[in-house]
């Protein structure tokens, strides 16, 4: 068994190397599976829908990220946090002052390497093991995550739409350890009957996805993942965003143009990590099967950068959101450029090849015109996260300056 696995891995690596080294004219001779050509109207509907679905998570996720950021800045925890202290939906925080997940510069530098290792690992898994068994495991995993993410997304909507006939009864599950001064909360879980309704709806959609793998259920889970990702993953400053986008720029180019790994995994991976829309919807309705797709990474990665710019705009208390709207427009144009090039050359395109320059260059240009480059680079979401070593250095410098002044005064007195 070990020899078979080793042989399969060796063949997979050899195939990747051959794909990298082989001339373009040789690789173009590989026969591709024939598909019925889509009508121009069908392609326009499909790609237009993908663009709209890509823009919505960035807009709503960015707005929610500002609210979450304000919640975290204002509210502070009066006592140590329990190990499991959540309100329902699970992604919403209590008024504990807990900070949102913030990506550091070090995280941004390592992210493309970790993503490459994960991508290549999945590629080897699909080569070594049967695709059906891997997708069974991944379907169960993403079923749980998708239900939680969708319930989180539906909760505020359902709370506003729920009729008064349905009472909102609060529940509180509390599990503690120890007594008196040593008492510690292990589980602190709050929810209501409205949240139970949201969970039931999400479970029904999850079961539909498990049984049918329908593209609408896939997109509902994918959109919920994208919105929650943009909302909760925070870049602390502009430099961190530049490091992350620059690394993923080269990551996307290599794995799409240099190898067949990205395309193989995307087509084999039956999980809601991509948005899809049928190009033959007009001909076959909801049972259409010829899909155009867009990976969630091409939405969430630029999305968390655009959300940072919205928080920057909000911090300046200005009426216009110039950085947010201009970069969002640049993202839209970058997506259109990706679709245009893909349609012309009939080849999968790394979307970040077009999105990264658009999203990085636009705020820099706006800041240069407005004379705010220093302000943009100096902005931080969580300035209190600076290490205490800097404070100690400042204290030492102040102490040394005061001691030197005292010495000079003593010398003058002598």
């Amino acid at each position: 068994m070990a020899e078979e696995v080793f042989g399969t891995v060796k063949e997979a690596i050899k195939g990747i190397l051959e794909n990298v080294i082989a001339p373009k004219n040789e690789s173009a001779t590989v026969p591709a599976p024939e598909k019925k050509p889509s009508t121009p109207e069908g392609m326009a509907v499909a790609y237009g829908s993908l663009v709209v679905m890509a823009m919505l998570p960035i807009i709503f996720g960015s707005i929610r990220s500002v609210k979450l950021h304000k919640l975290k800045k204002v509210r502070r925890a009066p006592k140590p946090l329990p190990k499991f202290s959540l309100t329902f939906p699970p992604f919403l925080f209590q008024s504990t002052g807990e900070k949102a997940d913030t990506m550091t510069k070090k995280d941004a530098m390592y992210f493309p390497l970790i993503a490459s290792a994960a991508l290549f690992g999945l590629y080897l898994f699909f080569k070594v093991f049967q695709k059906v068994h891997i997708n069974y495991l991944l379907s169960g995993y993403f079923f749980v995550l998708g239900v939680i993410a969708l319930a989180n997304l539906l909760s505020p909507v359902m709370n506003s739409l729920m009729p008064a006939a349905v009472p909102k009864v609060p529940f509180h599950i509390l599990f503690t350890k120890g007594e008196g001064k040593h008492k510690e909360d292990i589980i602190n879980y709050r929810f209501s009957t409205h949240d139970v309704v949201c969970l039931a709806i999400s479970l029904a959609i999850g079961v539909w996805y498990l049984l049918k793998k329908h593209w609408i259920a896939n997109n509902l889970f994918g959109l919920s993942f994208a919105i929650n990702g943009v909302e909760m993953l925070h870049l602390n400053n502009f430099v961190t965003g530049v490091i992350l986008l620059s690394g993923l720029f080269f990551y996307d180019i290599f794995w799409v143009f240099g190898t067949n790994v990205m395309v193989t995994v995307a087509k084999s991976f039956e999980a809601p990590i991509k948005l899809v829309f049928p190009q033959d919807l007009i001909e076959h309705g909801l049972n259409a099967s010829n899909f155009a797709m867009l990976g969630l990474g091409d939405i969430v990665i630029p999305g968390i950068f655009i959300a940072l710019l919205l928080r920057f705009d909000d911090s300046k208390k200005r009426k216009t959101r110039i950085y947010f709207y201009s970069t969002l427009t640049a993202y839209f144009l970058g997506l259109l450029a990706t679709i245009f090039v893909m349609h012309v050359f009939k080849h999968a395109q790394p979307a970040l090849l077009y999105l990264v320059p658009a999203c990085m260059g636009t705020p820099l240009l706006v800041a240069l015109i407005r004379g705010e480059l220093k302000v943009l680079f100096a902005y931080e979401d969580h300035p209190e996260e600076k290490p205490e070593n800097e404070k100690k250095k400042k204290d030492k410098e102040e102490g040394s300056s005061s001691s030197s002044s005292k010495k000079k005064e003593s010398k003058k007195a002598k």
Side-chain angles (χ1 to χ4, degrees):
M1 178 65 182
E3 292 180 356
E4 292 179 1
V5 172
F6 179 76
T8 307
V9 172
K10 188 176 179 181
E11 289 178 3
I13 296 174
K14 184 179 178 182
I16 292 174
L17 293 175
E18 289 176 352
N19 193 22
V20 173
I21 299 171
K24 290 183 179 179
N25 56 359
E26 291 182 10
S27 61
T29 60
V30 178
E34 293 184 1
K35 284 186 178 180
K36 292 182 179 179
S38 302
T39 61
E41 295 82 3
M43 287 194 296
V45 170
Y47 288 121
S49 301
L50 283 180
V51 170
V52 172
M53 286 193 293
M55 299 287 288
L56 291 179
I58 295 178
I59 295 171
F60 289 109
S62 298
I63 295 171
R64 287 164 68 108
S65 79
V66 173
K67 294 179 181 178
L68 179 62
H69 179 59
K70 289 180 178 178
L71 181 69
K72 294 302 155 189
K73 286 186 71 175
V74 172
R75 296 176 176 177
R76 291 292 178 265
K79 55 184 179 180
L81 297 174
K83 294 180 180 178
F84 190 76
S85 176
L86 301 171
T87 54
F88 191 92
F91 288 136
L92 295 180
F93 300 94
Q94 282 183 295
S95 57
T96 57
E98 182 186 354
K99 295 170 186 173
D101 293 331
T102 304
M103 183 175 289
T104 63
K105 295 176 184 176
K106 187 177 180 181
D107 297 332
M109 286 188 286
Y110 281 117
F111 190 86
L113 300 177
I114 297 171
S116 296
L119 179 68
F120 187 63
L122 282 172
Y123 178 78
L124 292 181
F125 266 107
F126 282 116
K127 289 292 183 181
V128 174
F129 303 102
Q130 291 187 7
K131 185 173 72 172
V132 177
H133 297 156
I134 298 174
N135 282 319
Y136 278 146
L137 181 63
L138 293 173
S139 296
Y141 176 71
F142 279 97
F143 166 77
V144 176
L145 292 182
V147 168
I148 295 173
L150 189 57
N152 175 42
L153 201 62
L154 290 176
S155 182
V157 178
M158 294 300 294
N159 284 332
S160 60
L161 297 179
M162 196 72 70
V166 180
K168 188 176 182 179
V169 181
F171 297 93
H172 186 190
I173 299 176
L174 181 62
F175 183 63
T176 61
K177 175 184 177 183
E179 293 181 354
K181 295 180 179 179
H182 302 287
K183 188 176 181 180
E184 180 184 0
D185 290 351
I186 297 177
I187 297 177
N188 193 346
Y189 190 75
R190 298 176 184 272
F191 60 98
S192 68
T193 48
H194 291 186
D195 299 320
V196 174
V197 174
C198 292
L199 186 62
I201 296 172
S202 301
L203 280 170
I205 295 173
V207 172
W208 180 30
Y209 170 76
L210 279 180
L211 296 178
K212 299 294 183 180
K213 291 291 191 298
H214 200 275
W215 59 273
I216 294 179
N218 173 90
N219 288 346
L220 288 174
F221 277 173
L223 288 171
S224 61
F225 286 144
I227 293 175
N228 282 302
V230 174
E231 174 190 1
M232 300 180 62
L233 296 176
H234 287 194
L235 297 170
N236 193 36
N237 51 54
F238 187 80
V239 176
T240 304
V242 169
I243 294 172
L244 178 67
L245 291 180
S246 300
L248 291 176
F249 174 79
F250 294 104
Y251 156 88
D252 213 20
I253 292 173
F254 173 76
W255 288 112
V256 174
F257 283 154
T259 71
N260 65 339
V261 172
M262 181 80 79
V263 177
T264 302
V265 172
K267 291 181 178 179
S268 304
F269 204 81
E270 293 181 4
I273 60 166
K274 56 196 174 189
L275 298 180
V276 298
F277 201 91
Q279 302 181 52
D280 52 347
L281 179 69
I282 299 174
E283 293 85 358
H284 301 102
L286 296 179
N287 296 321
S289 57
N290 184 14
F291 295 102
M293 67 178 70
L294 180 68
L296 293 188
D298 299 326
I299 302 171
V300 175
I301 298 302
I304 60 178
F305 186 74
I306 296 173
L308 170 69
L309 296 173
L310 180 59
R311 296 194 297 274
F312 171 70
D313 280 327
D314 185 74
S315 69
K316 299 306 172 187
K317 308 297 181 184
R318 52 168 66 106
K319 293 182 180 179
T320 59
R321 301 289 187 259
I322 180 68
Y323 287 91
F324 172 71
Y325 289 128
S326 59
T327 311
L328 187 66
T329 304
Y331 176 83
F332 171 75
L333 296 176
L335 265 185
L336 293 183
T338 306
I339 294 170
F340 175 77
V341 174
M342 183 172 60
H343 179 69
V344 170
F345 291 96
K346 308 295 182 184
H347 188 278
Q349 296 294 313
L352 294 182
L353 172 64
Y354 309 94
L355 297 177
V356 168
C359 293
M360 276 176 47
T362 301
L364 288 173
L365 181 62
V366 172
L368 184 64
I369 294 172
R370 296 172 63 91
E372 295 179 346
L373 273 176
K374 290 184 178 179
V375 179
L376 179 62
F377 278 93
Y379 171 75
E380 288 189 351
D381 264 349
H382 304 284
E384 69 274 9
E385 289 182 352
K386 289 182 179 180
E388 296 181 358
N389 295 334
E390 295 183 3
K391 295 182 180 179
K392 290 180 180 179
K393 287 181 181 179
K394 289 182 180 180
D395 294 338
K396 286 182 180 180
E397 289 176 359
E398 291 176 358
S400 61
S401 62
S402 61
S403 62
S404 62
S405 62
K406 287 180 181 179
K407 286 180 181 180
K408 288 179 180 179
E409 289 176 359
S410 63
K411 286 180 180 180
K412 287 181 181 179
K414 287 179 180 179

